[in-house]
Amino acid sequence: MVSNRRKPGKIKQWFNQWLNSRLPAATKVTLAHRSVFILPSGFGLLWLTLVLLLFLFGTNYQNNLVIGLSLLLLSVFNTCIIYSYRNLAGMTISSTLSPQAYAGDTLVFPVRLYANQTQYEVLLNYPNNQIKVIKKVTNEASTSLIPFINERRGRVSPGRLKIESRYPLGLCKAWSHVDLDNEHIVYATPLEANEQLSHIDSEQDYVADNQGGHIPGVDEFKGLRQHIPGESLKQVAWKQLAQGRGMLTKEFQQPQGEPQWLSLTDFSPASLENRLSQLTHSVDRLSEKGQIFGLQLGERTIQPADGEAHRISCLQALALVPAQPETPT
Protein backbone atom coordinates (compact mmCIF):
# COMPACT_ATOMS: atom_id res chain seq x y z
CA MET A 1 0.00 0.00 0.00
CA VAL A 2 1.32 3.39 -0.91
CA SER A 3 1.80 5.46 2.22
CA ASN A 4 1.60 9.22 2.59
CA ARG A 5 5.02 10.78 3.19
CA ARG A 6 5.73 14.14 4.71
CA LYS A 7 7.14 16.58 2.19
CA PRO A 8 10.71 17.67 2.96
CA GLY A 9 11.37 21.25 4.05
CA LYS A 10 12.85 23.89 1.80
CA ILE A 11 16.36 23.46 3.20
CA LYS A 12 16.24 19.70 2.68
CA GLN A 13 14.85 20.16 -0.83
CA TRP A 14 17.69 22.55 -1.66
CA PHE A 15 20.23 20.11 -0.21
CA ASN A 16 18.77 17.21 -2.25
CA GLN A 17 18.90 19.29 -5.43
CA TRP A 18 22.50 20.21 -4.71
CA LEU A 19 23.37 16.53 -4.14
CA ASN A 20 21.63 15.53 -7.38
CA SER A 21 23.75 18.00 -9.34
CA ARG A 22 26.98 17.12 -7.55
CA LEU A 23 26.43 13.35 -7.25
CA PRO A 24 24.00 12.24 -9.98
CA ALA A 25 22.40 8.79 -9.85
CA ALA A 26 24.54 5.97 -11.26
CA THR A 27 24.72 2.21 -10.79
CA LYS A 28 28.48 2.47 -10.20
CA VAL A 29 30.25 5.23 -8.28
CA THR A 30 33.92 5.76 -7.38
CA LEU A 31 34.42 8.12 -4.44
CA ALA A 32 36.79 11.06 -4.95
CA HIS A 33 37.36 14.58 -3.60
CA ARG A 34 34.11 15.77 -5.21
CA SER A 35 31.99 13.16 -3.44
CA VAL A 36 33.63 12.88 0.00
CA PHE A 37 32.74 15.34 2.77
CA ILE A 38 34.66 15.77 6.05
CA LEU A 39 33.76 17.46 9.34
CA PRO A 40 35.00 17.09 12.92
CA SER A 41 33.07 14.56 14.97
CA GLY A 42 31.79 15.31 18.46
CA PHE A 43 34.95 13.82 19.88
CA GLY A 44 36.95 15.90 17.38
CA LEU A 45 35.32 19.13 18.59
CA LEU A 46 36.26 18.26 22.18
CA TRP A 47 39.80 17.56 20.96
CA LEU A 48 40.03 21.01 19.32
CA THR A 49 38.62 22.63 22.46
CA LEU A 50 41.34 20.93 24.49
CA VAL A 51 43.98 22.13 22.01
CA LEU A 52 42.73 25.71 22.33
CA LEU A 53 42.68 25.58 26.15
CA LEU A 54 46.21 24.15 26.28
CA PHE A 55 47.47 26.79 23.86
CA LEU A 56 45.88 29.62 25.92
CA PHE A 57 47.24 28.13 29.14
CA GLY A 58 50.73 27.80 27.66
CA THR A 59 50.86 31.32 26.26
CA ASN A 60 49.40 32.83 29.44
CA TYR A 61 52.00 31.18 31.67
CA GLN A 62 54.74 31.19 28.99
CA ASN A 63 55.09 27.42 29.23
CA ASN A 64 56.69 26.15 26.03
CA LEU A 65 56.06 22.51 26.96
CA VAL A 66 52.28 23.05 27.11
CA ILE A 67 52.35 25.07 23.88
CA GLY A 68 54.30 22.25 22.20
CA LEU A 69 51.76 19.71 23.46
CA SER A 70 48.87 21.73 22.00
CA LEU A 71 50.63 21.95 18.63
CA LEU A 72 51.30 18.20 18.70
CA LEU A 73 47.63 17.47 19.35
CA LEU A 74 46.66 19.85 16.54
CA SER A 75 49.00 18.06 14.13
CA VAL A 76 47.41 14.73 15.10
CA PHE A 77 44.01 16.20 14.25
CA ASN A 78 45.27 17.44 10.87
CA THR A 79 46.73 14.01 10.12
CA CYS A 80 43.35 12.40 10.92
CA ILE A 81 41.71 14.66 8.31
CA ILE A 82 43.98 13.21 5.62
CA TYR A 83 43.58 9.61 6.75
CA SER A 84 39.79 9.94 7.06
CA TYR A 85 39.61 11.14 3.46
CA ARG A 86 41.95 8.42 2.19
CA ASN A 87 39.86 5.78 3.94
CA LEU A 88 36.96 6.51 1.55
CA ALA A 89 38.60 7.99 -1.54
CA GLY A 90 39.06 5.45 -4.33
CA MET A 91 36.32 3.12 -3.09
CA THR A 92 34.03 1.85 -5.86
CA ILE A 93 30.40 1.07 -5.03
CA SER A 94 28.00 -0.60 -7.44
CA SER A 95 24.50 -2.00 -7.16
CA THR A 96 23.37 -5.47 -8.22
CA LEU A 97 19.97 -7.04 -8.78
CA SER A 98 17.85 -7.19 -5.62
CA PRO A 99 15.96 -10.38 -4.68
CA GLN A 100 12.19 -10.55 -4.96
CA ALA A 101 10.27 -9.12 -2.01
CA TYR A 102 6.74 -8.45 -0.84
CA ALA A 103 5.35 -5.39 0.92
CA GLY A 104 6.02 -5.64 4.64
CA ASP A 105 9.29 -7.55 4.17
CA THR A 106 12.66 -6.03 4.94
CA LEU A 107 14.18 -5.45 1.52
CA VAL A 108 17.79 -6.32 0.87
CA PHE A 109 19.84 -4.28 -1.58
CA PRO A 110 23.13 -5.99 -2.55
CA VAL A 111 26.05 -3.56 -2.90
CA ARG A 112 29.46 -4.51 -4.32
CA LEU A 113 32.52 -2.80 -2.80
CA TYR A 114 36.20 -2.75 -3.67
CA ALA A 115 39.09 -0.30 -3.32
CA ASN A 116 42.60 0.08 -4.66
CA GLN A 117 43.98 0.27 -1.13
CA THR A 118 42.65 -1.41 2.01
CA GLN A 119 40.03 0.65 3.86
CA TYR A 120 38.73 0.00 7.36
CA GLU A 121 35.55 0.40 9.42
CA VAL A 122 33.19 1.60 6.70
CA LEU A 123 29.55 2.16 7.72
CA LEU A 124 26.71 1.77 5.19
CA ASN A 125 23.02 2.51 5.66
CA TYR A 126 19.93 3.92 3.99
CA PRO A 127 18.02 6.74 5.75
CA ASN A 128 16.38 5.61 9.01
CA ASN A 129 17.59 2.03 8.58
CA GLN A 130 20.03 -0.34 10.24
CA ILE A 131 23.74 0.41 9.84
CA LYS A 132 25.93 -2.20 8.15
CA VAL A 133 29.55 -2.25 9.35
CA ILE A 134 32.20 -3.35 6.87
CA LYS A 135 35.40 -4.19 8.75
CA LYS A 136 37.66 -4.15 5.70
CA VAL A 137 37.32 -3.23 2.01
CA THR A 138 40.07 -4.60 -0.24
CA ASN A 139 40.85 -4.76 -3.96
CA GLU A 140 38.84 -7.99 -4.14
CA ALA A 141 35.18 -7.16 -4.74
CA SER A 142 32.81 -8.22 -1.97
CA THR A 143 29.02 -7.97 -1.74
CA SER A 144 27.24 -6.55 1.29
CA LEU A 145 23.49 -6.81 1.87
CA ILE A 146 22.06 -3.47 3.00
CA PRO A 147 18.64 -3.76 4.75
CA PHE A 148 15.75 -1.42 4.00
CA ILE A 149 12.41 -1.53 5.85
CA ASN A 150 9.46 -1.12 3.50
CA GLU A 151 5.70 -1.36 4.00
CA ARG A 152 4.37 -0.49 0.55
CA ARG A 153 4.07 -2.13 -2.85
CA GLY A 154 5.08 -0.77 -6.24
CA ARG A 155 8.28 0.95 -7.25
CA VAL A 156 10.43 1.50 -4.18
CA SER A 157 13.59 3.57 -4.19
CA PRO A 158 15.70 3.30 -1.03
CA GLY A 159 17.16 6.76 -1.54
CA ARG A 160 20.79 7.70 -1.18
CA LEU A 161 23.18 5.27 0.47
CA LYS A 162 25.21 6.89 3.25
CA ILE A 163 28.85 5.78 3.38
CA GLU A 164 30.68 6.88 6.50
CA SER A 165 34.06 6.41 8.13
CA ARG A 166 35.61 7.73 11.37
CA TYR A 167 38.90 5.94 10.90
CA PRO A 168 41.50 6.11 12.41
CA LEU A 169 40.85 7.86 15.77
CA GLY A 170 37.26 9.06 15.44
CA LEU A 171 38.28 12.72 15.40
CA CYS A 172 36.82 13.35 11.93
CA LYS A 173 33.77 12.03 10.15
CA ALA A 174 34.15 11.43 6.41
CA TRP A 175 31.01 10.52 4.53
CA SER A 176 29.25 10.50 1.19
CA HIS A 177 25.66 10.10 -0.07
CA VAL A 178 25.46 8.10 -3.32
CA ASP A 179 22.39 7.26 -5.38
CA LEU A 180 22.94 3.82 -6.94
CA ASP A 181 19.78 4.08 -9.05
CA ASN A 182 18.55 0.74 -7.65
CA GLU A 183 14.78 1.20 -7.75
CA HIS A 184 13.00 -2.10 -7.04
CA ILE A 185 9.48 -3.39 -7.74
CA VAL A 186 7.95 -4.74 -4.52
CA TYR A 187 5.02 -7.13 -4.82
CA ALA A 188 1.78 -6.77 -2.87
CA THR A 189 1.55 -8.70 0.40
CA PRO A 190 0.13 -12.19 -0.32
CA LEU A 191 -3.23 -12.73 1.37
CA GLU A 192 -5.06 -16.03 1.16
CA ALA A 193 -8.68 -15.55 0.06
CA ASN A 194 -11.45 -16.94 2.24
CA GLU A 195 -13.47 -17.70 -0.85
CA GLN A 196 -12.57 -18.85 -4.33
CA LEU A 197 -11.25 -16.07 -6.53
CA SER A 198 -12.64 -15.40 -9.99
CA HIS A 199 -11.01 -18.00 -12.19
CA ILE A 200 -13.04 -17.02 -15.21
CA ASP A 201 -13.02 -18.36 -18.78
CA SER A 202 -15.13 -17.53 -21.78
CA GLU A 203 -17.85 -20.15 -21.30
CA GLN A 204 -18.44 -20.67 -17.58
CA ASP A 205 -18.27 -18.71 -14.37
CA TYR A 206 -15.88 -20.88 -12.39
CA VAL A 207 -13.51 -23.61 -13.42
CA ALA A 208 -12.02 -26.52 -11.53
CA ASP A 209 -9.06 -25.72 -9.33
CA ASN A 210 -6.78 -28.10 -11.28
CA GLN A 211 -7.83 -26.76 -14.68
CA GLY A 212 -4.96 -25.35 -16.69
CA GLY A 213 -2.47 -27.84 -15.29
CA HIS A 214 -0.30 -30.28 -17.21
CA ILE A 215 -0.52 -34.02 -17.67
CA PRO A 216 1.94 -36.34 -19.48
CA GLY A 217 1.38 -36.14 -23.22
CA VAL A 218 3.03 -35.45 -26.55
CA ASP A 219 2.20 -31.78 -27.24
CA GLU A 220 4.91 -29.78 -25.45
CA PHE A 221 8.51 -30.60 -24.61
CA LYS A 222 8.97 -30.51 -20.83
CA GLY A 223 12.60 -31.45 -20.31
CA LEU A 224 15.05 -34.27 -19.80
CA ARG A 225 15.29 -36.84 -17.03
CA GLN A 226 17.47 -39.83 -16.26
CA HIS A 227 16.66 -42.85 -18.41
CA ILE A 228 15.13 -45.82 -16.59
CA PRO A 229 16.21 -49.26 -17.88
CA GLY A 230 13.34 -50.97 -19.73
CA GLU A 231 11.80 -47.75 -21.09
CA SER A 232 11.16 -47.31 -24.79
CA LEU A 233 14.18 -46.15 -26.76
CA LYS A 234 11.97 -43.83 -28.88
CA GLN A 235 12.23 -41.03 -26.29
CA VAL A 236 15.97 -41.31 -25.68
CA ALA A 237 17.86 -38.02 -26.20
CA TRP A 238 20.45 -39.35 -28.63
CA LYS A 239 22.07 -35.95 -29.17
CA GLN A 240 22.82 -35.57 -25.46
CA LEU A 241 24.06 -39.16 -25.37
CA ALA A 242 26.51 -38.38 -28.18
CA GLN A 243 27.72 -35.36 -26.18
CA GLY A 244 28.65 -37.66 -23.33
CA ARG A 245 25.86 -36.53 -20.98
CA GLY A 246 24.63 -40.06 -20.40
CA MET A 247 21.35 -41.80 -21.23
CA LEU A 248 18.51 -39.27 -20.88
CA THR A 249 14.81 -39.52 -21.73
CA LYS A 250 12.73 -36.72 -23.27
CA GLU A 251 9.56 -35.81 -21.39
CA PHE A 252 6.49 -34.25 -23.00
CA GLN A 253 3.30 -32.80 -21.53
CA GLN A 254 -0.01 -31.36 -22.61
CA PRO A 255 -2.37 -28.82 -21.02
CA GLN A 256 -5.32 -30.14 -19.04
CA GLY A 257 -8.44 -28.25 -20.13
CA GLU A 258 -8.74 -24.50 -20.64
CA PRO A 259 -6.38 -22.12 -18.77
CA GLN A 260 -7.58 -20.29 -15.67
CA TRP A 261 -8.08 -16.54 -15.51
CA LEU A 262 -7.50 -14.22 -12.58
CA SER A 263 -9.28 -10.89 -12.89
CA LEU A 264 -9.51 -7.53 -11.21
CA THR A 265 -12.38 -5.25 -12.19
CA ASP A 266 -13.11 -3.38 -8.95
CA PHE A 267 -10.58 -0.57 -8.46
CA SER A 268 -12.39 1.15 -5.59
CA PRO A 269 -10.02 2.31 -2.78
CA ALA A 270 -11.91 0.33 -0.12
CA SER A 271 -11.15 -3.08 -1.66
CA LEU A 272 -8.23 -2.54 -4.05
CA GLU A 273 -5.30 -3.37 -1.76
CA ASN A 274 -7.03 -6.41 -0.27
CA ARG A 275 -7.91 -7.70 -3.74
CA LEU A 276 -4.37 -7.19 -5.04
CA SER A 277 -3.02 -9.17 -2.08
CA GLN A 278 -5.43 -12.02 -2.80
CA LEU A 279 -4.49 -12.10 -6.47
CA THR A 280 -0.79 -12.09 -5.54
CA HIS A 281 -1.36 -15.17 -3.41
CA SER A 282 -3.29 -16.84 -6.25
CA VAL A 283 -0.49 -16.14 -8.75
CA ASP A 284 2.08 -17.73 -6.43
CA ARG A 285 -0.19 -20.73 -5.75
CA LEU A 286 -0.97 -21.43 -9.41
CA SER A 287 2.67 -20.98 -10.41
CA GLU A 288 3.78 -23.39 -7.70
CA LYS A 289 1.38 -25.99 -9.15
CA GLY A 290 2.72 -25.37 -12.65
CA GLN A 291 -0.70 -24.38 -13.97
CA ILE A 292 -1.43 -22.19 -16.98
CA PHE A 293 -3.31 -18.99 -16.15
CA GLY A 294 -3.92 -15.48 -17.45
CA LEU A 295 -4.46 -12.17 -15.69
CA GLN A 296 -6.99 -9.43 -16.45
CA LEU A 297 -6.45 -6.01 -14.87
CA GLY A 298 -9.18 -3.77 -16.18
CA GLU A 299 -8.33 -3.16 -19.84
CA ARG A 300 -4.91 -4.81 -19.56
CA THR A 301 -4.63 -8.54 -20.27
CA ILE A 302 -1.67 -10.85 -19.69
CA GLN A 303 -2.16 -13.92 -21.86
CA PRO A 304 -2.20 -17.40 -20.27
CA ALA A 305 1.19 -18.98 -19.71
CA ASP A 306 3.20 -20.69 -17.01
CA GLY A 307 6.72 -20.60 -15.65
CA GLU A 308 8.76 -18.22 -13.50
CA ALA A 309 8.90 -15.43 -16.09
CA HIS A 310 5.10 -15.40 -16.34
CA ARG A 311 4.78 -15.37 -12.54
CA ILE A 312 7.10 -12.37 -12.23
CA SER A 313 5.27 -10.53 -15.02
CA CYS A 314 1.91 -11.01 -13.26
CA LEU A 315 3.24 -10.03 -9.83
CA GLN A 316 4.83 -6.88 -11.23
CA ALA A 317 1.62 -5.94 -13.00
CA LEU A 318 -0.31 -6.30 -9.73
CA ALA A 319 2.32 -4.34 -7.80
CA LEU A 320 2.20 -1.45 -10.28
CA VAL A 321 -1.58 -0.97 -10.24
CA PRO A 322 -2.00 2.72 -9.32
CA ALA A 323 -3.26 3.34 -5.80
CA GLN A 324 -6.68 4.98 -5.70
CA PRO A 325 -7.07 8.02 -3.43
CA GLU A 326 -9.55 7.76 -0.61
CA THR A 327 -12.79 9.63 -1.20
CA PRO A 328 -13.26 12.27 1.54
CA THR A 329 -16.38 11.83 3.63
Side-chain angles (χ1 to χ4, degrees), residues 250-281:
K250 297 180 181 178
E251 282 191 309
F252 295 86
Q253 63 185 8
Q254 65 185 30
Q256 183 179 7
E258 295 295 326
Q260 300 196 44
W261 283 92
L262 303 176
S263 66
L264 175 64
T265 56
D266 183 9
F267 288 85
S268 60
S271 60
L272 178 61
E273 297 301 329
N274 187 65
R275 183 66 172 154
L276 289 174
S277 294
Q278 292 177 348
L279 288 172
T280 297
H281 178 269

Side-chain angles (χ1 to χ4, degrees), residues 62-135:
Q62 298 182 353
N63 190 321
N64 293 333
L65 182 62
V66 176
I67 293 176
L69 177 61
S70 66
L71 295 178
L72 175 63
L73 295 179
L74 182 61
S75 66
V76 170
F77 182 85
N78 290 334
T79 303
C80 285
I81 294 177
I82 299 173
Y83 274 91
S84 296
Y85 168 76
R86 291 186 61 187
N87 198 52
L88 288 186
M91 181 188 300
T92 299
I93 308 101
S94 60
S95 61
T96 58
L97 186 64
S98 300
Q100 301 177 31
Y102 299 89
D105 295 343
T106 297
L107 306 186
V108 174
F109 289 92
V111 175
R112 289 175 59 83
L113 303 169
Y114 66 90
N116 295 329
Q117 60 184 17
T118 304
Q119 299 170 336
Y120 302 93
E121 297 294 330
V122 177
L123 310 180
L124 305 175
N125 75 293
Y126 285 109
N128 303 318
N129 277 269
Q130 181 181 354
I131 297 175
K132 181 80 171 184
V133 180
I134 311 298
K135 295 294 185 181

